[in-house]
Coordinates of all heavy atoms in Angstrom, one line a residue:
Chain B
E172 N 75.7 -15.3 -48.9 CA 77.0 -14.7 -48.7 C 77.2 -14.1 -47.3 O 78.2 -14.1 -46.7 CB 77.3 -13.6 -49.8 CG 77.6 -14.2 -51.1 CD 77.6 -13.2 -52.2 OE1 77.8 -12.0 -51.9 OE2 77.5 -13.6 -53.4
R173 N 76.0 -13.5 -46.9 CA 76.1 -12.8 -45.6 C 75.0 -13.2 -44.6 O 73.9 -13.3 -45.0 CB 76.0 -11.3 -46.0 CG 76.3 -10.4 -44.9 CD 75.9 -8.9 -45.3 NE 75.6 -8.1 -44.2 CZ 76.6 -7.6 -43.5 NH1 77.8 -7.7 -43.8 NH2 76.3 -6.9 -42.4
L174 N 75.5 -13.5 -43.5 CA 74.6 -14.0 -42.4 C 74.5 -12.9 -41.3 O 75.5 -12.5 -40.8 CB 75.1 -15.3 -41.9 CG 74.3 -15.9 -40.7 CD1 72.9 -16.3 -41.0 CD2 75.0 -17.1 -40.1
D175 N 73.2 -12.5 -41.0 CA 73.0 -11.6 -39.8 C 72.1 -12.3 -38.8 O 71.1 -12.8 -39.1 CB 72.3 -10.4 -40.3 CG 73.1 -9.5 -41.3 OD1 74.2 -9.2 -41.0 OD2 72.5 -9.3 -42.4
I176 N 72.6 -12.3 -37.6 CA 71.7 -12.9 -36.5 C 71.5 -11.7 -35.5 O 72.4 -11.2 -34.9 CB 72.4 -14.0 -35.8 CG1 72.7 -15.1 -36.8 CG2 71.5 -14.6 -34.7 CD1 73.3 -16.4 -36.2
G177 N 70.2 -11.5 -35.3 CA 69.8 -10.3 -34.5 C 69.5 -10.8 -33.1 O 69.0 -11.9 -32.9
Y178 N 69.7 -9.9 -32.1 CA 69.5 -10.2 -30.7 C 68.7 -9.1 -30.0 O 69.1 -7.9 -30.3 CB 70.7 -10.5 -29.9 CG 71.3 -11.8 -30.3 CD1 72.4 -11.9 -31.2 CD2 71.0 -13.0 -29.6 CE1 72.9 -13.1 -31.6 CE2 71.5 -14.2 -29.9 CZ 72.5 -14.2 -30.9 OH 73.1 -15.4 -31.2
W179 N 67.8 -9.4 -29.2 CA 67.3 -8.5 -28.2 C 68.1 -8.8 -26.9 O 67.9 -9.9 -26.3 CB 65.8 -8.6 -28.1 CG 65.3 -7.7 -27.0 CD1 64.7 -8.1 -25.8 CD2 65.2 -6.3 -27.0 NE1 64.4 -7.0 -25.1 CE2 64.6 -5.9 -25.8 CE3 65.6 -5.3 -27.9 CZ2 64.4 -4.5 -25.4 CZ3 65.3 -4.0 -27.6 CH2 64.8 -3.6 -26.4
S180 N 69.0 -7.9 -26.5 CA 69.8 -8.3 -25.3 C 69.3 -7.5 -24.1 O 69.1 -6.3 -24.2 CB 71.2 -7.9 -25.6 OG 71.8 -8.7 -26.6
I181 N 69.1 -8.2 -23.1 CA 68.5 -7.6 -21.8 C 69.6 -7.5 -20.8 O 70.3 -8.5 -20.5 CB 67.3 -8.3 -21.3 CG1 66.3 -8.4 -22.4 CG2 66.8 -7.7 -20.0 CD1 65.1 -9.3 -22.0
H182 N 69.8 -6.4 -20.2 CA 70.8 -6.3 -19.1 C 70.2 -5.5 -17.9 O 69.2 -4.8 -18.0 CB 72.1 -5.6 -19.7 CG 71.9 -4.3 -20.3 ND1 72.1 -3.1 -19.7 CD2 71.4 -4.0 -21.5 CE1 71.8 -2.1 -20.5 NE2 71.4 -2.6 -21.6
G183 N 70.9 -5.8 -16.8 CA 70.4 -5.2 -15.6 C 71.5 -4.6 -14.7 O 72.7 -4.8 -15.0
D184 N 71.1 -3.9 -13.7 CA 72.1 -3.3 -12.8 C 72.7 -4.5 -12.0 O 72.1 -5.3 -11.4 CB 71.4 -2.4 -11.8 CG 72.2 -1.8 -10.8 OD1 73.0 -0.9 -11.2 OD2 72.2 -2.2 -9.6
E185 N 74.0 -4.5 -12.0 CA 74.7 -5.6 -11.4 C 74.4 -5.8 -9.9 O 74.2 -6.9 -9.5 CB 76.3 -5.4 -11.5 CG 77.0 -6.7 -11.1 CD 78.4 -6.5 -10.9 OE1 79.1 -5.8 -11.7 OE2 78.9 -7.0 -9.9
R186 N 74.3 -4.7 -9.2 CA 74.1 -4.8 -7.8 C 72.7 -5.4 -7.5 O 72.5 -6.3 -6.6 CB 74.2 -3.4 -7.1 CG 74.3 -3.5 -5.7 CD 74.4 -2.1 -5.1 NE 73.4 -1.2 -5.6 CZ 72.1 -1.1 -5.1 NH1 71.8 -1.9 -4.0 NH2 71.2 -0.3 -5.6

Side-chain angles (χ1 to χ4, degrees):
Chain B
E172 283 170 24
R173 191 187 155 80
L174 173 67
D175 298 302
I176 301 183
Y178 288 93
W179 174 251
S180 294
I181 304 175
H182 53 102
D184 178 77
E185 191 197 316
R186 195 180 51 83

